[in-house]
């Protein structure tokens, strides 16, 4: 019990109590979990152990090969292998430094237990240490999953001293604490200037964009090959990372020294690193104790934030300013669309999810521009009909990508349209708004921005490819119609899996429904593409005109899209009334 | 003839095997402030949620302003305003935007909306913060914004769940005065509270719910008559719902 800790409770015992409490919470959650979840946890644990063993065996074999005298006759990799611990430890430190920022922000400022912990009769230092450990533990475990097999493999392949292995772990732990301490100070420094919630929102947007750019950068680098000069440059870079003046190199060189039995080098390198890491952690911990309260009090007070300033409208001016848009739809529908647009735009966490299709669009448009819109003839042995079909497919490739981008947008805007309301849904549910109007508003909120982005992508990509106007017009019709069907499918699953109790936007839709909904949305896009584009590709191959094929595609696809646009929402209309009800 | 604005008929709600509300029958007339009391978990909020249409009853019916909440939800909802116990609002809207949004949901006359919003912002002392995002509001300010949202369409029925929680004395007083004025203008006010002093001083009639069932309804005088000589509402409430035993208190404080 925390309450049992006396006023003179030590930092160590309090830290232990707090960590033990977390373990008890975790075991309690596991004990009360469903059998499926328990089995899942066991399977994941077995997979992790299996991965560790396989990764260790793989690195051991690879590193033994890299050290083999046969290879040494071709290329000398001694420098690279000796730099390996430094590279891994540097990477580990920087990874923890960067990834800890978000989790520490959440753990120190946004977690709901901080008020309780700060008020409890336990040393503040113990609270910070336990919070740091809890926050960095998942990232540290992930890091170990990849770093330990390589470092242990290095030691095993070279027959290093037995002390090498525990010291690898000790170094990783100490450097992780130092990195987490620095990250915590960084968090507190930022929170002094910007409210924690706002930082979290911005971080989500930046994180999403960065991860997507990283994943998509592979598309650009796929065809790159390294020449001899670039390889030499990379080797030089590795040598520079392992330069003796770098504190990271002290640790790496110390480990190599320990492994190869150079006692003095090992003691100096490892000693210096450990002292520095402990000093950094101690200083940052003290700084945290000083800095924490300012950020905390700023968060409690809240910083007024205003939307873009607009002069207050007088009643008459407001009435005169009213756009023509409301006349198309009932006022409640317009109000819901305007409200959703504002809320989505202002919450950067939502923008981070919507940024994905934009980046994808840019990446694929650039790839299309690079390919020049021509099918590679290869050795020229492919039959004429195949090349013709492939050319047709490529011509409609833009439409396929526009639909793919639309699918990603709709899986956010459509499937989460109701969940997005969160706990404020009572305002709508107690208002005199029919389920049909509510559904219409949500459909338009999802459809309109998706349509704009999809059509914009299509037009820009078609211009880059110098596609014919008939193909562009056909594509615009296909995108407009197919996305309408996508709205219907996503909205229906959004109703079925609506979750108004979310804290993190990534958990908006209830697990299984969200998963099935994503697959259903994907299947819809594939089928819609087949219905719309199939005839447009096949009819010219069978001797018909391209225009006839497009016309048949539009007719067949439209029927499918309209059925999907109307039927799933109609079937779930009855559930709209029950959204937010328990039991 | 009296104008009954809220009426529950054998209203019941079950969550699985648990009976949250058990055949509650009550009526609230125009011009009346009705206090709804009960211990934690007695079924107050569930009853209120069924009255405002947030929950569908398992059986029974609710009529608001003469309209059945289940069969004529739009008319019933248009006549009522609701203030929940937790002011969960759209934090990325300003108070002004929130009120405009609610006014449009309730289809308030366009020419009236802006004037009405300004009046409510002034009344609840929110004018200075009207264009700040609700994200930056304190609990009390959110509670006031929630109240303003409930009043923007000038409802005939106002349902409030713990409206004074988190409010400063000045704001709490403002709400009490406001509710009294609304009742004097012919609205029905249905109010749940744990503060018995508020119920005793403000409410024309009081209903006490315990373990899902309505155990007493009446004016203070009627409740006193039922309470076998007990003078205060606190004593009546504890005798009807079961108060803390002296021995249990002594054990905790030991």
């Amino acid at each position: 019990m925390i309450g049992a800790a006396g006023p003179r409770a030590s930092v160590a015992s309090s830290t232990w109590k707090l960590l033990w409490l977390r373990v008890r919470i975790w075991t309690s959650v596991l004990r009360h979990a469903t059998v499926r979840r328990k089995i899942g946890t066991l399977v994941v644990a077995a997979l992790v152990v299996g991965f560790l063993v396989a990764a260790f065996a793989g690195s051991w074999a690879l590193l033994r090969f890299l050290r083999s005298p046969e290879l040494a006759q071709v290329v000398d990799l001694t420098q690279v292998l000796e730099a390996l611990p430094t590279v891994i430890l540097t990477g580990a430190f920087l990874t923890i430094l960067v990834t800890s920022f978000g989790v520490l922000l959440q753990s120190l400022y946004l977690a709901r237990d901080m008020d309780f912990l700060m008020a409890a009769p336990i040393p503040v230092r113990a609270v910070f240490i336990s919070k740091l450990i809890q926050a960095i533990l998942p990232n540290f475990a992930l890091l170990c999953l990849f770093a330990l097999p390589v470092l242990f493999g290095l030691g095993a392949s070279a027959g290093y001293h037995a002390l090498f292995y525990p010291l690898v772990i000790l170094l990783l732990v100490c450097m992780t604490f130092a990195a987490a301490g620095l990250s915590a100070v960084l968090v507190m420094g930022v929170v002094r200037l910007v409210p924690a919630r706002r930082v979290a929102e911005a971080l989500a947007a930046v994180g999403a964009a960065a991860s997507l750019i990283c994943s998509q950068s592979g598309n650009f680098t796929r065809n790159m090959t390294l020449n001899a000069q670039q390889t030499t440059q990379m080797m030089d870079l590795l040598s520079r990372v392992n330069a003796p003046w770098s504190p990271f190199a002290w640790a790496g060189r110390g480990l190599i020294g320990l492994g190869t039995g150079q006692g003095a080098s090992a003691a100096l390198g490892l000693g210096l690193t450990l002292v520095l890491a402990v000093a950094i952690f101690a200083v940052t911990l003290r700084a945290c104790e000083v800095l924490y309260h300012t950020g905390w009090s700023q968060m409690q007070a809240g910083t007024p934030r205003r939307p873009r300033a607009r002069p207050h409208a007088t009643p008459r001016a407001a009435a005169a300013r009213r756009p023509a848009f409301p006349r198309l739809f009932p006022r409640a529908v317009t109000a819901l669309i305007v409200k959703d647009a504002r809320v989505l735009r202002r919450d950067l966490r939502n923008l981070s999810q919507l940024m994905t299709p934009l980046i994808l669009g840019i990446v694929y448009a650039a790839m299309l521009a690079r390919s020049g819109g021509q099918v590679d003839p290869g050795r020229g042995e492919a039959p004429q009909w195949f090349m013709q079909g492939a050319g047709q497919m490529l011509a409609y490739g833009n439409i396929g990508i526009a639909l793919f981008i639309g699918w990603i947008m709709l899986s956010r805007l459509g499937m989460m349209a109701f969940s997005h309301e969160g706990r404020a849904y009572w305002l709508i549910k107690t208002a005199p708004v029919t389920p049909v109007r509510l559904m219409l508003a949500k459909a338009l909120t999802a459809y309109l921005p998706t349509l704009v982005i999809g059509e914009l992508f299509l037009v820009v990509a078609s211009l880059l490819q110098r596609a014919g106007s008939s193909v562009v017009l056909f594509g615009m019709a296909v995108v407009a119609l197919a996305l309408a069907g996508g709205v219907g499918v996503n909205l229906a699953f959004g109703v079925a899996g609506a979750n108004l109790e979310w804290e993190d936007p990534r958990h908006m839709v209830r697990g299984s429904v969200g998963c099935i909904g994503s697959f259903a949305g994907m299947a819809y896009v594939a089928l819609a593409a087949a219905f719309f584009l199939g005839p447009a590709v096949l009819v010219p191959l069978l001797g018909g005109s391209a225009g006839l094929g497009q016309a048949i595609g539009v007719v067949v696809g439209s029927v499918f899209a309209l059925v999907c646009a109307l039927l799933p929402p109609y079937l779930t209309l009855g559930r709209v009334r029950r959204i937010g009800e328990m039991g | 003839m009296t104008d009954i604005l809220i009426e529950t008929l054998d209203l019941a709600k079950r969550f699985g095997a648990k009976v949250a509300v058990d055949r509650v029958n009550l009526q609230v007339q125009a011009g009346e402030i009705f206090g709804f009391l009960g211990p934690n978990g007695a079924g107050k909020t569930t009853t209120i949620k069924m009255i405002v249409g947030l929950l569908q009853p398992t059986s029974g019916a609710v009529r608001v302003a003469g309209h059945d909440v289940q069969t004529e939800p739009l008319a019933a909802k248009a006549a009522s305003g609701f203030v929940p116990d937790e002011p969960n609002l759209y934090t990325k809207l300003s108070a002004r935007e929130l009120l405009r949004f609610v006014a449009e949901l309730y289809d308030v006359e366009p020419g009236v909306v802006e004037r009405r919003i300004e009046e409510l912002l002034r009344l609840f002392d929110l004018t200075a913060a009207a264009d700040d995002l609700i994200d930056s509001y304190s609990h009390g300010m959110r509670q006031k914004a929630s109240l303003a949202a409930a009043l923007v369409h000038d409802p005939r029925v106002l349902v409030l769940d713990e409206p004074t929680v988190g409010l400063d004395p000045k704001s709490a007083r403002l709400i009490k005065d406001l509710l009294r004025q609304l009742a004097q203008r012919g609205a029905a006010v249905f109010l749940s509270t744990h503060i018995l002093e508020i119920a005793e001083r403000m409410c024309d009639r009081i209903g006490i719910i315990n373990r899902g069932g309505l155990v007493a309804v009446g004016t203070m005088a009627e409740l006193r008559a039922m309470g076998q000589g007990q003078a205060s509402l606190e004593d009546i409430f504890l005798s009807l719902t079961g108060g803390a035993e002296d021995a249990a208190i002594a054990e905790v404080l030991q």
Side-chain angles (χ1 to χ4, degrees), chain A residues 201 303-307 312 322 331 335 346 421 423 426 428-432 434 577-578 581-582, chain B residues 15 54 56 70 74 77 82 84 88 90 92 96-97 101 104 106-108 114 128 131-133 136:
Chain A
E201 288 172 11
T303 308
R305 201 159 66 80
R306 292 185 173 219
H312 297 330
R322 215 156 284 280
R331 282 179 76 203
R346 288 174 189 167
E421 295 291 334
R423 293 188 178 126
W426 66 269
I428 295 175
K429 196 163 181 182
T430 55
T434 61
R577 287 187 69 184
R578 296 188 68 94
E581 293 189 23
M582 290 164 55
Chain B
F15 294 106
L54 279 174
Q56 291 188 24
Q70 293 308 303
L74 297 188
K77 288 175 181 180
F82 173 51
N88 290 313
Y90 297 104
K92 297 295 174 188
R96 193 188 302 279
E97 287 168 345
F101 167 64
E104 286 177 359
Y106 283 84
D107 208 12
V108 177
E114 297 300 325
D131 295 309
D132 295 343
L133 293 186
S136 62

Side-chain angles (χ1 to χ4, degrees), chain A residues 368 373-377 382-398 465 536-538 540-541:
Chain A
L368 278 171
Q374 299 298 317
V375 181
D376 185 357
Q384 180 64 28
W385 63 267
F386 179 82
M387 291 304 291
Q388 198 186 341
Q392 293 278 353
M393 288 289 280
L394 195 67
Y396 297 127
N398 294 334
Q465 263 192 323
V537 173
L538 289 175
L541 290 177

